[in-house]
Amino acid sequence: MIDLFIIKVGGNVIDNPALLQTFIEKFATIPGKKILIHGGGKIATRIGDKLGIESKYVDGRRITDAETIDVVTMVYGGLVNKQLVARLQANQCNAIGLTGADANIIPAVKRPVKTIDYGFVGDVYPEQLNIAPLKALLEAGVTPVFAPLTHDGKGQMLNTNADTIASSLAIALSASYAVRLIYCFEKKGVLSDPNDDNAVINLINKEIYQQLLDNKVLSDGILPKLQNAFGAIDNGVKEVLIGHADDVLSNTTATVAGTLIC
């Protein structure tokens, strides 16, 4: 039996007011212990543009220079995080907004420079997480809401991939709870045909995953989620599910609408 749901909601949902409102209303009604991790969407880019701070990307990944870390800290840890918390409170879900720096829950290491300098980007190691304060919040009936931010323990905030934060939290907490990690985004799940939104693969194990890779069925966008999913499964997480944000409530039940990874 699952006794903790760790749910990551993607930036494309954050950017869509109607989709986000539906997600918030459904997430708030999930019974029991739950954690929400959110992406940043395009809001940081829009605010950075207004401030004259250009967003730079390499292979779709944000370069987080000194100016950009200030922007994403303000936007992800402030604006987006607190708006989500306020909306959850409006739906009778007692939530608290956090970054990885709060209570030292998610310390990270600034990514070493190899061929590309990503700037103030943090890499997370699940065994280094400080989960005692998090467990105390969960046991008190409070729902933590994490922004995609960590810290280096020396006073520097770090931008960290929200999918990675979600899987790291799931791994760290799997010693104490039976965890289902759920990735919510704008698709119904992993698709056998990227052009058909209804071609959902309902169950993927390692054998099926390898077949999908060999047959080049999977889109590039879904591969990081699957890699995170199997990394979590290999490290104690009971179940991982990838599905549409609209299906978040049903995907906390035994009858799932998305793709279950096992």
Side-chain angles (χ1 to χ4, degrees):
M1 180 178 176
I2 300 297
D3 49 24
L4 173 63
F5 295 102
I6 297 180
I7 299 172
K8 185 263 177 172
V9 61
N12 288 335
V13 178
I14 299 293
D15 286 331
N16 184 319
L19 194 56
L20 179 60
Q21 183 59 32
T22 299
F23 171 83
I24 288 289
E25 291 171 358
K26 291 182 177 180
F27 177 89
T29 64
I30 296 169
K33 298 177 180 66
K34 53 186 180 284
I35 297 172
L36 179 63
I37 300 95
H38 63 83
K42 299 181 178 68
I43 301 170
T45 300
R46 291 199 295 268
I47 290 179
D49 288 344
K50 290 179 181 178
L51 295 172
I53 299 170
E54 181 186 358
S55 296
K56 305 178 186 71
Y57 295 88
V58 175
D59 296 331
R61 295 183 179 181
R62 186 188 292 273
I63 302 297
T64 309
D65 59 18
E67 289 184 318
T68 302
I69 190 62
D70 287 347
V71 172
V72 298
T73 300
M74 289 188 293
V75 175
Y76 299 166
L79 180 64
V80 176
N81 187 265
K82 300 313 175 190
Q83 284 182 340
L84 287 174
V85 169
R87 291 169 78 168
L88 286 169
Q89 298 291 4
N91 283 273
Q92 292 73 55
C93 175
N94 190 15
I96 184 169
L98 299 168
T99 71
D102 295 298
N104 192 33
I105 293 172
I106 314 176
V109 176
K110 185 176 179 292
R111 183 169 297 167
V113 177
K114 295 180 182 177
T115 55
I116 299 167
D117 183 358
Y118 285 102
F120 294 102
V121 169
D123 291 328
V124 178
Y125 300 93
E127 65 275 10
Q128 295 178 4
L129 268 60
N130 177 26
I131 61 168
L134 198 50
K135 289 172 65 177
L137 288 170
L138 291 168
E139 295 302 325
V142 178
T143 296
V145 179
F146 278 93
L149 296 163
T150 57
H151 76 125
D152 69 354
K154 302 172 186 176
Q156 179 63 56
M157 294 298 293
L158 298 169
N159 187 14
T160 299
N161 181 271
D163 285 357
T164 301
I165 288 178
S167 63
S168 297
L169 286 170
I171 291 167
L173 287 162
S174 64
S176 304
Y177 304 97
V179 176
R180 178 181 288 181
L181 168 61
I182 303 175
Y183 289 112
C184 291
F185 67 146
E186 70 282 2
K187 299 289 185 181
K188 294 182 179 180
V190 180
L191 305 177
S192 59
D193 179 355
N195 297 313
D196 182 357
D197 284 347
N198 293 312
V200 178
I201 306 170
N202 294 118
L203 181 69
I204 297 179
N205 56 25
K206 285 191 175 180
E207 182 179 352
I208 295 171
Y209 179 48
Q210 190 58 53
Q211 291 173 357
L212 294 170
L213 288 175
D214 292 343
N215 295 329
K216 295 181 171 54
V217 168
L218 302 170
S219 66
D220 291 341
I222 203 67
L223 287 174
K225 284 184 170 55
L226 285 169
Q227 290 162 356
N228 271 317
F230 280 108
I233 293 289
D234 289 343
N235 285 280
V237 177
K238 189 169 183 180
E239 297 171 348
V240 182
L241 193 136
I242 300 172
H244 198 286
D246 277 352
D247 296 324
V248 64
L249 188 56
S250 62
N251 282 337
T252 60
T253 69
T255 306
V256 300
T259 301
L260 190 65
I261 314 294
C262 61

